[in-house]
Amino acid sequence: MSSVHIRDVRKSFGGFEVLHGVTIPIEDGQFVVLVGPSGCGKSTLLRMLAGLENITSGTISIGERVVNNVQPKERDIAMVFQNYALYPHMTVADNMGFSLKLRGARSDEIKKGVKRAAEILALTPLLDRYPRQLSGGQRQRVAMGRAIVRDPQVFLFDEPLSNLDAKLRVAMRTEIKELHQRLKTTTVYVTHDQIEAMTMADKIVVMHDGIVEQMGAPLELYDKPANQFVAGFIGSPAMNFLNGHLRSNGQAYVETDNGSKLPLASAPTASEGRPVVYGVRPEHLELASDGIEAEVVVVEPTGSETQIVARIGTQDIIAVFRDRHDVSPGEKIRLRPRASAAHLFDKENGRRI
Ligand SMILES: Nc1ncnc2c1ncn2[C@@H]1O[C@H](COP(=O)(O)OP(=O)(O)OP(=O)(O)O)[C@@H](O)[C@H]1O
Ligand SMILES: [Mg+2]
C-alpha cells in the first residue's frame, strides 16, 4: 500500500495538450474513482500512473518516490483494463501466475500467490479450467486475480466492468468493494457508471477536457456541486436546469422567462435580477397543488419508480417519484421543487452561488 500524488501533471500528444495540469492527492488505502465524459483524459492519466505513457510535465509520486522516470515493472502497480485478454491456451492458475513467472519467481512462490488470490476471489475450484470454460464474470475475476496475485502497492482499473451484463456488474461491483475492504490497497478506478462511482469511491474526481472540475466524497459532490458541469454530471437522471432571474426582495426565488416562481430556502448573496441557472434534481420535485404548472410529455414507469418528463414553458424537466402516478402525456400537473435542495449557478460562468 502507498499514497499516490499527482502534481500539476500535463500531457501532450504531438503539439496537442490533453491534460492541462492535473493535481490529485490520493491517500494510502484510498479508493479513488475518476469520472468524466469520453475523451477527457481518464485513461491517459491512468496509463501515466502505470508508466505506459510518459509525463510531459509535473510529477507523479508513489509513496515518497517520484516515479516519472521509473519503468512500469518497477512501479509495483497492477492494472486491470476494460479488455482484459486472458491467455486462451493457459489455465486459470497459469494465467494468474504468469506475471510472477515473468519476474522469475520460484514455482512454490507462484503456487502460493495463486492459491491466495484464488481464495480471495473464490476461484479455487476453477484453477484448472481454460478461459473458454468460464462465464464472463469468472473471466473478469481471473483478470483481477492476475492483478492481486502480485500484491501491488496500487491497483489501477480502467472500466473493468463495462463488458459485463447489468446483473454481473452489480455482483462484481460488490466483490471489488469487498476486496478493497479486505486488502485496503490504494486504488484508482475509472468508470462511466454513476452508481459504481457513488457506491465504490472514498473520493470521486470529476474530470472534463483535461482538467479536474471537482473532487470530494460522493455525497459532497452530490449535495454541493461546485459548478453546473459537476451538477449535471453527478446523479442519474441528471439534475434539471432552469434559466431565470434572481428575485431577492422579500422571500427569495428564481423567476423563469414564463413567470414561474422557483423557490429558494434562503436569499443568496447574489444581486437582485442577476441571470442564474436554477438546479433541481429529479428526486427533489413533488406533485403539489401550489407547484409550478407543467405539461406532461412522457411517462416512464420503471417498476420501482415513475419518471415523468414535463415541460415548463419551453424547458423540459424530469421528475422521479417513488409512488406510482396515473398521469398521461398532455395532462397538466403541478410540480414543486424542494427549496432546501435547490442549487443556484451563475449563468455566465456556471459556478455555484
Ligand atoms: N496515443 C495518442 N495519441 C494522440 N492522442 C491521444 C492518444 N491517446 C489519447 N489521445 C487523446 O487524448 C484525449 C484523452 O484520451 P483518453 O483515452 O485519456 O480519454 P478517456 O477519458 O479515457 O475517454 P473514454 O471515456 O472514451 O475512455 C483524447 O482526445 C484522445 O483522442
Ligand atoms: Mg478511457
Side-chain angles (χ1 to χ4, degrees), residues 37-44 46-47 82 158-159 190 192:
S38 187
C40 71
K42 305 179 295 294
S43 296
T44 303
L46 224 54
R47 292 171 57 78
Q82 174 179 354
D158 197 353
E159 306 197 46
V190 172
H192 271 108

Side-chain angles (χ1 to χ4, degrees), residues 79 81 83-102 127-134 139 142-143 146-147 150:
M79 184 154 171
F81 297 90
N83 299 311
Y84 49 89
L86 302 177
Y87 301 109
H89 58 285
M90 287 186 194
T91 61
V92 167
D94 290 343
N95 263 287
M96 283 168 59
F98 193 60
S99 65
L100 293 180
K101 194 170 169 189
L102 280 185
L127 282 175
D128 294 327
R129 292 214 199 159
Y130 288 88
R132 64 172 184 278
Q133 299 169 312
L134 303 175
R139 276 183 221 158
V142 177
R146 282 199 306 203
R150 291 171 39 195

Side-chain angles (χ1 to χ4, degrees), residues 11 13 43-55 60 67-68 70-73 75 77-81 156 158:
K11 176 69 185 176
F13 289 109
S43 296
T44 303
L45 192 58
L46 224 54
R47 292 171 57 78
M48 288 161 91
L49 279 168
L52 303 171
E53 294 284 357
N54 59 12
I55 299 165
I60 294 181
V67 294
N68 285 36
V70 174
Q71 288 299 308
K73 62 178 194 310
R75 291 192 185 193
I77 276 183
M79 184 154 171
V80 181
F81 297 90
L156 305 178
D158 197 353

Side-chain angles (χ1 to χ4, degrees), residues 10 14 52 60 63 85 103 117 121 123 128 130 141 162 165 169 193 206 209 212 267-268 289 296 301 321 331 344:
R10 292 172 185 268
L52 303 171
I60 294 181
R103 286 177 166 193
L121 292 163
L123 287 169
D128 294 327
Y130 288 88
R141 288 216 296 273
S162 54
D165 68 43
R169 281 185 84 119
D193 188 299
V206 182
D209 284 348
V212 172
S289 55
V296 176
F321 303 102
E331 212 173 298
L344 211 53

